[in-house]
Amino acid sequence: MRKKTSLKDIAVIGLALFAMFFGAGNLIFPPHLGTNAGSEWFLGFMCFFVADVGLALVAILSMIKSGDVSIQGVTKKLGPVPSVIINTLIVLCIGPFLAIPRTAATTFEMGVMPLFPSINSWMFGAVFFGLVLLFTVRPSGVVDVIGKYLTPVLVACLLAMIVIGFVNPIGDISTVAKFDTVKEGVMSGYQTMDVLASIVFVIIIISAAKDKGYTETKDTMNVVIKSSIFAAIALFVIYGGLAFLGATTSAGGFEGYNQTGLVVAITQSLIGSYGVLVLAIIVFFACLTTAIGLVSSCASYFEGLTKGKVSYTKVVILTVAFSYIVSNFGISTIISIASPVLSLLYPVVLVMIVLNFFGSRIKNNNIYIFAAAFALAASAAEVLCGFGLPLEFIHKLPLGSFQCGWIVPAIVGGIIGKFVPASERSFSFGKDEEDIDAI
C-alpha cells in the first residue's frame, strides 16, 4: 500500500543525514575559506559546496536512478571480487580506520583539552564511544535519535553563533583574496570525502524510510530524495554562515591561526568567555552524530556482506572497540596513515557514480572497467609522487592542480573500453537490477 510522504518524516530523516555529513572536518573548512577569500568568500563557499555536498547528492541520486540502492550498486559493474574489495576498503576507511576514530580525536583536541586538560584521550574516548555504542546497538532507532534529539542541539548552537556574527561582525571583510578562491574551494570540498560517506549513509537512510512505512520502492525513493534535498539546504545555510564568519576575520588579526585555531578564535570573539564551551558543545555533537551514522552503516554493511553470519550488534561492538583504540593515535597520525588509501579510492568511486548515472545507455561493462582502471592508475601515480617518486607529470595533466588529474585518463579509459568487446560474463551480484528490499 502506497504511503503519502510526510513532511515530518522528511525533516527527521533529512536532519539525520545532515548530522551524519556534518563532522568537525566540515566545521573547520568553511571559516578557513572565508578568512582567506575575503570578499570572494561566497564564490569559495559555492565551490566548496558543489565539490562536497553537490557530489554527495549526485552519488545518492545516481544510486537511486540505477535501481540498486546499495553500496554494491555503485561498483558491481567492475566484477564481484573487485567490487567487494573496493566496497570493503571504502567502509573500513570511512569507518574504523579513519573517519570514526577521527571524530573522537577531533572532539578531544578541539573541545575537551581546552576545558579539561587533566583528562587524557583514553578517558574521554571511553565516554565518547560508550555513547556511540548506546545509540547504535539498536539500528531501528538510530535515525530518530539523531534527527529528533541530537541534531537540533547541533543546529541551534551553530545558528546562534552565525546570527551573532551577522548582527555584530568580528571585523571588516578584506577586498583582497589570499589564494585562488576557486581552486581552494574545490580542493577543500574534495578533501572532505563526503562522497564516500554518502554511499554508506544511504543504506541507513533507506532502512529508516522503510521503518517509517515507506515500503513501496517509489515511496522509499521519493522520501529519500526529498530528505537529501532537505539536508543539502540545511548544509548550505550552515556552511554559508560559517564561511561568512571566516570572511569577517579577513581584514587582519587572525593570520597566525590554523584551521582549528581559527574556529576557536571566532567563537571566542563572538561569545567571549563562553566561546570555548560553545565550541566544545558544537564539536561534540557534530562528531558524535557523525560517528553514530558511520558505525551503524558500517555494521549494516558487514552484516549484509556476511549474510547475517556476523550480526549487526557484534560488528557495532568490534567497530567501536577498534575505533576507540585508533582514536588515541591522534588526528595527524590517523590522517597520514589512511589518506593515501582514500586518495586511491575516491577517483574510482566518482567514476563509477557518474557512469552509473547514465547506466541505461551504457551496454558495455568494459567502459566501467577501463575508466576505473585508468583513474586508479592516475591517482596511484599522484600518491606515489607524494612519496617522492619521479612522477611529476601527473600534476601537468588537465585539472592536475585541483588534485583531479585522474579525470582525463578516466575519460580516455572509458573510450578505449567502448571499443573492447564486452564479455558475456555477468558482472552483477545476482540480478542486474536488484530490488531495494535486498538492502
Side-chain angles (χ1 to χ4, degrees), residues 79-355:
V81 174
S83 178
V84 170
I85 292 173
I86 292 174
N87 292 338
T88 301
L89 287 174
I90 290 173
V91 173
L92 289 175
C93 287
I94 65 173
F97 283 4
L98 172 62
I100 297 172
R102 189 173 63 181
T103 59
T106 301
T107 306
F108 176 72
E109 294 182 17
M110 290 183 63
V112 177
M113 287 183 63
L115 294 173
F116 308 102
S118 61
I119 297 179
N120 61 42
S121 60
W122 291 96
M123 294 171 60
F124 168 74
V127 176
F128 183 89
F129 284 110
L131 290 173
V132 172
L133 179 63
L134 177 65
F135 287 131
T136 53
V137 74
R138 295 181 179 274
S140 62
V142 171
V143 170
D144 280 342
V145 168
I146 297 175
K148 289 183 178 179
Y149 306 109
L150 298 182
T151 305
V153 177
L154 166 64
V155 174
C157 291
L158 290 170
L159 287 178
M161 188 168 71
I162 291 170
V163 169
I164 293 173
F166 269 102
V167 175
N168 296 301
I170 295 173
D172 297 327
I173 297 178
S174 173
T175 58
V176 179
K178 300 176 183 176
F179 54 25
D180 185 330
T181 304
V182 174
K183 175 182 176 180
E184 292 299 324
V186 171
M187 290 182 65
S188 295
Y190 182 80
Q191 290 169 358
T192 64
M193 300 294 178
D194 278 344
V195 173
L196 299 183
S198 68
I199 295 173
V200 179
F201 286 157
V202 74
I203 299 173
I204 191 171
I205 295 301
I206 290 291
S207 297
K210 292 171 66 176
D211 287 341
K212 292 182 178 298
Y214 299 94
T215 54
E216 296 288 334
T217 300
K218 289 184 179 180
D219 294 339
T220 308
M221 296 300 95
N222 187 36
V223 74
V224 168
I225 291 173
K226 290 180 178 178
S227 297
S228 299
I229 294 174
F230 181 97
I233 293 172
L235 289 167
F236 182 90
V237 173
I238 298 298
Y239 286 156
L242 291 173
F244 172 79
L245 294 182
T248 61
T249 69
S250 60
F254 292 81
E255 292 83 358
Y257 294 104
N258 60 15
Q259 291 178 334
T260 54
L262 177 63
V263 177
V264 174
I266 288 174
T267 53
Q268 287 178 332
S269 297
L270 292 174
I271 314 176
S273 59
Y274 295 100
V276 176
L277 177 60
V278 172
L279 176 64
I281 295 173
I282 292 174
V283 171
F284 178 79
F285 281 107
C287 290
L288 182 65
T289 51
T290 299
I292 290 170
L294 288 172
V295 171
S296 182
S297 297
C298 183
S300 296
Y301 170 76
F302 282 108
E303 182 185 38
L305 183 65
T306 60
K307 297 181 179 180
K309 293 180 181 179
V310 181
S311 69
Y312 174 92
T313 302
K314 289 182 180 178
V315 180
V316 167
I317 294 173
L318 289 172
T319 301
V320 168
F322 187 85
S323 300
Y324 169 53
I325 295 173
V326 176
S327 69
N328 290 281
F329 295 168
I331 295 175
S332 299
T333 302
I334 294 170
I335 293 176
S336 65
I337 293 173
S339 181
V341 179
L342 287 173
S343 297
L344 287 173
L345 290 175
Y346 202 79
V348 174
V349 174
L350 277 179
V351 166
M352 296 305 297
I353 286 170
V354 172
L355 292 178

